Amino acid sequence: MMTQMKERAVELIERIPDEKMFYVINILQNLEEMSSNRPADKKQAMEALQNVLKFSGRLPEDFDADKELQEAREEKYGNIG
């Protein structure tokens, strides 16, 4: 038995032309990956977080993140826009 939400999704998908199905499949695959509950992914995410937290508090008091970002953008892209 399908829920109403799934039924609505199927109805929408059925109306999409075949030449556009690539996009639907891509979106669904991305959603599936985002919603997966794999322990390896959680472990990797926690390790990354712990790695970032090791550097917590190591920036100088006068650190200006916005200024650093602007300088990095200028260095990488120059005055494109």
Side-chain angles (χ1 to χ4, degrees):
M1 174 192 241
M2 246 191 279
T3 65
Q4 286 181 332
M5 292 294 286
K6 285 185 180 181
E7 287 177 10
R8 175 82 174 121
V10 169
E11 289 171 7
L12 290 170
I13 289 171
E14 287 176 342
R15 291 196 307 243
I16 295 173
D18 285 345
E19 62 271 8
K20 303 285 184 183
M21 287 307 293
F22 168 80
Y23 300 109
V24 173
I25 291 169
N26 192 13
I27 290 167
L28 291 173
Q29 286 173 333
N30 288 332
L31 284 172
E32 183 180 42
E33 287 177 20
M34 289 185 338
S35 65
S36 70
N37 195 13
R38 294 178 280 185
D41 291 343
K42 283 186 176 182
K43 182 181 181 214
Q44 184 179 7
M46 288 304 294
E47 288 172 357
L49 175 61
Q50 293 300 323
N51 191 32
V52 168
L53 291 176
K54 282 193 273 185
F55 296 101
S56 177
R58 292 190 179 186
L59 295 175
E61 297 254 342
D62 62 344
F63 181 77
D64 184 349
D66 292 330
K67 179 181 171 195
E68 293 291 327
L69 178 60
Q70 181 63 33
E71 288 176 0
R73 285 180 176 158
E74 287 175 5
E75 182 179 315
K76 184 167 185 169
Y77 301 110
N79 293 326
I80 292 176

